[in-house]
Amino acid sequence: MKTALHVNASPRPATSQGYRLAGELRAALRLSWPRLEVLERDLAAMPLPPLSTDYAEALTRRTPPQAAVFTLSEALIGELEASDLLLINTPLHNFTLPAALKLWLDYVLRIGRTFASTAEGKRGLLADRPVYLLVGSGGHHRGPQARQPDFLTSYLRHALGTLGLFDLNFIYLEGLVGDPADVADTLASVREQLSREVPFRALANPVTATLE
Ligand SMILES: Cc1cc2nc3c(=O)[nH]c(=O)nc-3n(C[C@H](O)[C@H](O)[C@H](O)COP(=O)(O)O)c2cc1C
């Protein structure tokens, strides 16, 4: 049996193109892996609480992982550890990742638990696995149409790498507030790109893939 963890970081999943595409990918994945279990961590439907004083204190004091203060952090790390594949859909918010996704990272990046501090720097303690990141943005941040910087990609590459996750696949859905015909073209080209990835081969006919 395979397990996929889907993290939704869009605050408006009902209308999010990234969330919808993640649903199509989940459906395609289920055709590749019939006994698939999907864990959904919806950061919009169930927002994580802000980091408490106790959590920040515990983190800097190297408190044992069994301590009650780490219950939520352990649950989130457990979802990551259980997954064979990680799927994240996230918007670009003010040139970087949304606060909800940063907060999730603050709960899963734990010294002595998911990364070790070594003489050479921080070293991830999680086993690597494929990570697909669907990044939606209203405007463009790559190529000749780019009118803004992208601080999301380099940050997520570094933060996820600190966990030990290096097999990162960034898929960009740019210009989502633009002309609907251009948006449709972008989605078609992204679907085509994704259908070439082994786990998502069934996406070749995306019309039949629906949200679960
Ligand atoms: C608070 C906020 C900040 C945003 N900042 C940017 C930005 O810096 N660059 C950009 O291109 N789009 C920006 N957008 C637009 C979103 O990235 C865009 O609407 C995207 O499609 C949202 O993805 P979603 O539908 O998956 O939530 C912003 C939207 C919000 C709500």
Side-chain angles (χ1 to χ4, degrees), residues 44-66:
M46 289 182 60
L48 300 174
L51 299 183
S52 65
T53 306
D54 286 350
Y55 183 86
E57 290 289 350
L59 204 67
T60 46
R61 288 199 185 137
R62 310 274 184 115
T63 310
Q66 308 83 312

Side-chain angles (χ1 to χ4, degrees), residues 139-148 150 153 170-174:
H140 293 261
H141 52 83
R142 298 177 314 151
Q145 294 189 77
R147 298 287 180 273
Q148 60 186 332
D150 162 21
T153 305
F170 285 90
I171 293 104
Y172 298 103
L173 307 171
E174 294 179 77

Side-chain angles (χ1 to χ4, degrees), residues 10-12 16-18 91-95 136-139 148 176-177:
S10 168
R12 44 166 213 164
S16 163
Q17 298 285 4
L92 185 72
H93 276 179
N94 295 315
F95 324 114
S137 58
Q148 60 186 332
L176 292 179
V177 299

Side-chain angles (χ1 to χ4, degrees), residues 103-187:
L103 187 54
W104 178 78
L105 284 166
D106 287 338
Y107 278 111
V108 299
L109 269 159
R110 265 182 40 215
I111 190 163
R113 175 66 177 85
T114 53
F115 72 88
S117 184
T118 75
E120 289 76 42
K122 294 175 179 176
R123 183 173 53 79
L125 297 175
L126 297 188
D128 201 3
R129 70 210 73 203
V131 181
Y132 289 86
L133 301 109
L134 307 177
V135 182
S137 58
H140 293 261
H141 52 83
R142 298 177 314 151
Q145 294 189 77
R147 298 287 180 273
Q148 60 186 332
D150 162 21
F151 298 114
L152 175 150
T153 305
S154 57
Y155 176 77
L156 283 180
R157 204 175 275 291
H158 190 83
L160 294 170
T162 302
L163 290 168
L165 304 178
F166 300 103
D167 184 1
L168 308 183
N169 303 273
F170 285 90
I171 293 104
Y172 298 103
L173 307 171
E174 294 179 77
L176 292 179
V177 299
D179 182 339
D182 292 341
V183 174
D185 284 350
T186 299
L187 288 168

Side-chain angles (χ1 to χ4, degrees), residues 3-9 18-19 21-26 28-29 32-33 36 39 80 83-91 101 104 128-136 152-153 156-157 160 165-173 190-203:
T3 302
L5 171 61
H6 173 198
V7 177
N8 168 50
Y19 184 77
L21 183 58
E24 292 178 22
L25 294 182
R26 283 167 53 165
L29 209 51
S32 296
W33 297 339
L36 175 73
L39 307 173
L80 260 180
S83 69
D84 299 287
L85 180 146
L86 175 58
L87 178 60
I88 299 175
N89 68 276
T90 178
L101 187 56
W104 178 78
D128 201 3
R129 70 210 73 203
V131 181
Y132 289 86
L133 301 109
L134 307 177
V135 182
L152 175 150
T153 305
L156 283 180
R157 204 175 275 291
L160 294 170
L165 304 178
F166 300 103
D167 184 1
L168 308 183
N169 303 273
F170 285 90
I171 293 104
Y172 298 103
L173 307 171
V190 159
R191 283 194 187 96
E192 204 277 318
Q193 177 194 342
L194 282 163
S195 68
R196 281 186 257 121
E197 298 284 323
V198 171
F200 304 125
R201 274 174 308 202
L203 193 66

